[in-house]
Amino acid sequence: MAFTERDESRQKRHRRLRARIGGTADRPRLAVYRSLNQIYAQVIDDRSGRTLAAASSLDSKDSKPKKADAAKAVGTAIAEKAKAAGIEEVIFDRGGYRYHGRVKALADAARSNGLRF
């Protein structure tokens, strides 16, 4: 599979981030992946290798939401699912993306719904 130079750079940034951060059972990692049209979020315990909660813009009821609105919906959904699993505090993993736009909208929505990071 051929990656673009932009994606290779993002993956390098993500590897650098992952060298410093990792999720535990007490404080799992909230990982964000942003594709061209969708956005995905997972709460992961890296020690056991388990995904504790997941949400994506594919779950949206709205057929064609704006990308920022979809990111806010995913942030809200991941916060609710994490709280249902007994998780209140996470480490934010922006996935090598800039903390801007859809990534920021997801993070702000998760924070406003009670997730601490």
mmCIF file of all heavy atoms in Angstrom, residues 73-94:
data_model
loop_
_atom_site.group_PDB
_atom_site.id
_atom_site.type_symbol
_atom_site.label_atom_id
_atom_site.label_comp_id
_atom_site.label_asym_id
_atom_site.label_seq_id
_atom_site.Cartn_x
_atom_site.Cartn_y
_atom_site.Cartn_z
ATOM 1 N N ALA A 73 -20.156 15.368 17.365
ATOM 2 C CA ALA A 73 -21.025 14.244 17.717
ATOM 3 C C ALA A 73 -20.203 13.043 18.184
ATOM 4 O O ALA A 73 -20.579 12.354 19.142
ATOM 5 C CB ALA A 73 -21.893 13.860 16.519
ATOM 6 N N VAL A 74 -19.074 12.797 17.527
ATOM 7 C CA VAL A 74 -18.205 11.686 17.921
ATOM 8 C C VAL A 74 -17.605 11.961 19.297
ATOM 9 O O VAL A 74 -17.514 11.061 20.138
ATOM 10 C CB VAL A 74 -17.104 11.442 16.861
ATOM 11 C CG1 VAL A 74 -16.070 10.453 17.360
ATOM 12 C CG2 VAL A 74 -17.728 10.952 15.567
ATOM 13 N N GLY A 75 -17.205 13.205 19.564
ATOM 14 C CA GLY A 75 -16.666 13.568 20.872
ATOM 15 C C GLY A 75 -17.680 13.349 21.976
ATOM 16 O O GLY A 75 -17.357 12.822 23.050
ATOM 17 N N THR A 76 -18.910 13.737 21.724
ATOM 18 C CA THR A 76 -19.982 13.523 22.693
ATOM 19 C C THR A 76 -20.226 12.035 22.910
ATOM 20 O O THR A 76 -20.342 11.572 24.052
ATOM 21 C CB THR A 76 -21.277 14.197 22.194
ATOM 22 O OG1 THR A 76 -21.022 15.592 22.004
ATOM 23 C CG2 THR A 76 -22.412 14.025 23.176
ATOM 24 N N ALA A 77 -20.277 11.278 21.821
ATOM 25 C CA ALA A 77 -20.551 9.841 21.915
ATOM 26 C C ALA A 77 -19.434 9.105 22.652
ATOM 27 O O ALA A 77 -19.707 8.233 23.494
ATOM 28 C CB ALA A 77 -20.730 9.256 20.517
ATOM 29 N N ILE A 78 -18.181 9.441 22.367
ATOM 30 C CA ILE A 78 -17.069 8.742 23.016
ATOM 31 C C ILE A 78 -17.028 9.062 24.504
ATOM 32 O O ILE A 78 -16.726 8.206 25.331
ATOM 33 C CB ILE A 78 -15.716 9.012 22.312
ATOM 34 C CG1 ILE A 78 -14.665 7.975 22.728
ATOM 35 C CG2 ILE A 78 -15.188 10.387 22.588
ATOM 36 C CD1 ILE A 78 -14.882 6.616 22.190
ATOM 37 N N ALA A 79 -17.379 10.305 24.865
ATOM 38 C CA ALA A 79 -17.411 10.665 26.282
ATOM 39 C C ALA A 79 -18.497 9.884 27.012
ATOM 40 O O ALA A 79 -18.275 9.380 28.118
ATOM 41 C CB ALA A 79 -17.640 12.165 26.442
ATOM 42 N N GLU A 80 -19.668 9.753 26.399
ATOM 43 C CA GLU A 80 -20.762 9.010 27.024
ATOM 44 C C GLU A 80 -20.415 7.532 27.164
ATOM 45 O O GLU A 80 -20.667 6.918 28.201
ATOM 46 C CB GLU A 80 -22.045 9.184 26.213
ATOM 47 C CG GLU A 80 -22.625 10.580 26.325
ATOM 48 C CD GLU A 80 -23.776 10.827 25.363
ATOM 49 O OE1 GLU A 80 -24.112 9.917 24.570
ATOM 50 O OE2 GLU A 80 -24.328 11.940 25.395
ATOM 51 N N LYS A 81 -19.811 6.946 26.114
ATOM 52 C CA LYS A 81 -19.452 5.524 26.167
ATOM 53 C C LYS A 81 -18.346 5.278 27.187
ATOM 54 O O LYS A 81 -18.346 4.262 27.878
ATOM 55 C CB LYS A 81 -19.024 5.034 24.789
ATOM 56 C CG LYS A 81 -20.180 4.928 23.812
ATOM 57 C CD LYS A 81 -19.724 4.436 22.465
ATOM 58 C CE LYS A 81 -20.893 4.345 21.499
ATOM 59 N NZ LYS A 81 -20.487 3.837 20.183
ATOM 60 N N ALA A 82 -17.401 6.209 27.278
ATOM 61 C CA ALA A 82 -16.305 6.058 28.248
ATOM 62 C C ALA A 82 -16.851 6.153 29.673
ATOM 63 O O ALA A 82 -16.461 5.363 30.542
ATOM 64 C CB ALA A 82 -15.240 7.121 28.009
ATOM 65 N N LYS A 83 -17.753 7.113 29.912
ATOM 66 C CA LYS A 83 -18.323 7.237 31.253
ATOM 67 C C LYS A 83 -19.152 6.014 31.610
ATOM 68 O O LYS A 83 -19.144 5.567 32.750
ATOM 69 C CB LYS A 83 -19.155 8.513 31.358
ATOM 70 C CG LYS A 83 -18.279 9.760 31.423
ATOM 71 C CD LYS A 83 -18.970 11.004 31.919
ATOM 72 C CE LYS A 83 -20.294 11.286 31.301
ATOM 73 N NZ LYS A 83 -20.804 12.617 31.580
ATOM 74 N N ALA A 84 -19.844 5.428 30.628
ATOM 75 C CA ALA A 84 -20.611 4.207 30.869
ATOM 76 C C ALA A 84 -19.690 3.039 31.224
ATOM 77 O O ALA A 84 -20.079 2.138 31.976
ATOM 78 C CB ALA A 84 -21.443 3.863 29.639
ATOM 79 N N ALA A 85 -18.460 3.066 30.713
ATOM 80 C CA ALA A 85 -17.476 2.025 31.017
ATOM 81 C C ALA A 85 -16.702 2.346 32.293
ATOM 82 O O ALA A 85 -15.779 1.612 32.663
ATOM 83 C CB ALA A 85 -16.512 1.860 29.854
ATOM 84 N N GLY A 86 -17.044 3.453 32.963
ATOM 85 C CA GLY A 86 -16.399 3.817 34.220
ATOM 86 C C GLY A 86 -15.102 4.595 34.056
ATOM 87 O O GLY A 86 -14.289 4.629 34.964
ATOM 88 N N ILE A 87 -14.924 5.222 32.912
ATOM 89 C CA ILE A 87 -13.696 5.988 32.626
ATOM 90 C C ILE A 87 -14.031 7.471 32.671
ATOM 91 O O ILE A 87 -14.960 7.914 31.991
ATOM 92 C CB ILE A 87 -13.149 5.617 31.242
ATOM 93 C CG1 ILE A 87 -12.826 4.130 31.195
ATOM 94 C CG2 ILE A 87 -11.931 6.453 30.902
ATOM 95 C CD1 ILE A 87 -12.717 3.578 29.808
ATOM 96 N N GLU A 88 -13.276 8.211 33.476
ATOM 97 C CA GLU A 88 -13.513 9.648 33.557
ATOM 98 C C GLU A 88 -12.307 10.462 33.131
ATOM 99 O O GLU A 88 -12.439 11.631 32.806
ATOM 100 C CB GLU A 88 -13.909 10.023 34.978
ATOM 101 C CG GLU A 88 -15.239 9.423 35.380
ATOM 102 C CD GLU A 88 -15.755 9.972 36.684
ATOM 103 O OE1 GLU A 88 -15.140 10.908 37.218
ATOM 104 O OE2 GLU A 88 -16.778 9.459 37.143
ATOM 105 N N GLU A 89 -11.118 9.832 33.122
ATOM 106 C CA GLU A 89 -9.902 10.558 32.783
ATOM 107 C C GLU A 89 -9.122 9.771 31.738
ATOM 108 O O GLU A 89 -8.945 8.556 31.871
ATOM 109 C CB GLU A 89 -9.046 10.759 34.034
ATOM 110 C CG GLU A 89 -7.944 11.755 33.834
ATOM 111 C CD GLU A 89 -7.295 12.162 35.142
ATOM 112 O OE1 GLU A 89 -7.722 11.685 36.210
ATOM 113 O OE2 GLU A 89 -6.355 12.953 35.075
ATOM 114 N N VAL A 90 -8.670 10.454 30.677
ATOM 115 C CA VAL A 90 -7.941 9.812 29.588
ATOM 116 C C VAL A 90 -6.699 10.628 29.223
ATOM 117 O O VAL A 90 -6.536 11.761 29.675
ATOM 118 C CB VAL A 90 -8.820 9.656 28.322
ATOM 119 C CG1 VAL A 90 -9.989 8.732 28.572
ATOM 120 C CG2 VAL A 90 -9.297 11.000 27.813
ATOM 121 N N ILE A 91 -5.851 10.018 28.413
ATOM 122 C CA ILE A 91 -4.722 10.719 27.802
ATOM 123 C C ILE A 91 -5.104 10.930 26.346
ATOM 124 O O ILE A 91 -5.481 9.979 25.663
ATOM 125 C CB ILE A 91 -3.438 9.876 27.909
ATOM 126 C CG1 ILE A 91 -3.050 9.697 29.364
ATOM 127 C CG2 ILE A 91 -2.311 10.510 27.117
ATOM 128 C CD1 ILE A 91 -1.926 8.730 29.591
ATOM 129 N N PHE A 92 -5.018 12.152 25.855
ATOM 130 C CA PHE A 92 -5.443 12.454 24.486
ATOM 131 C C PHE A 92 -4.313 12.175 23.513
ATOM 132 O O PHE A 92 -3.203 12.686 23.649
ATOM 133 C CB PHE A 92 -5.897 13.923 24.388
ATOM 134 C CG PHE A 92 -6.544 14.249 23.077
ATOM 135 C CD1 PHE A 92 -7.767 13.694 22.749
ATOM 136 C CD2 PHE A 92 -5.942 15.104 22.177
ATOM 137 C CE1 PHE A 92 -8.383 13.985 21.545
ATOM 138 C CE2 PHE A 92 -6.549 15.403 20.976
ATOM 139 C CZ PHE A 92 -7.773 14.841 20.663
ATOM 140 N N ASP A 93 -4.597 11.350 22.513
ATOM 141 C CA ASP A 93 -3.655 11.020 21.447
ATOM 142 C C ASP A 93 -4.236 11.570 20.153
ATOM 143 O O ASP A 93 -5.178 11.022 19.603
ATOM 144 C CB ASP A 93 -3.490 9.503 21.374
ATOM 145 C CG ASP A 93 -2.626 9.056 20.204
ATOM 146 O OD1 ASP A 93 -2.009 9.913 19.545
ATOM 147 O OD2 ASP A 93 -2.581 7.837 19.952
ATOM 148 N N ARG A 94 -3.650 12.653 19.675
ATOM 149 C CA ARG A 94 -4.192 13.324 18.489
ATOM 150 C C ARG A 94 -3.799 12.632 17.187
ATOM 151 O O ARG A 94 -4.183 13.064 16.097
ATOM 152 C CB ARG A 94 -3.787 14.790 18.479
ATOM 153 C CG ARG A 94 -2.319 15.030 18.530
ATOM 154 C CD ARG A 94 -1.973 16.502 18.720
ATOM 155 N NE ARG A 94 -0.552 16.668 18.917
ATOM 156 C CZ ARG A 94 0.334 16.762 17.938
ATOM 157 N NH1 ARG A 94 -0.076 16.717 16.689
ATOM 158 N NH2 ARG A 94 1.612 16.884 18.199
#
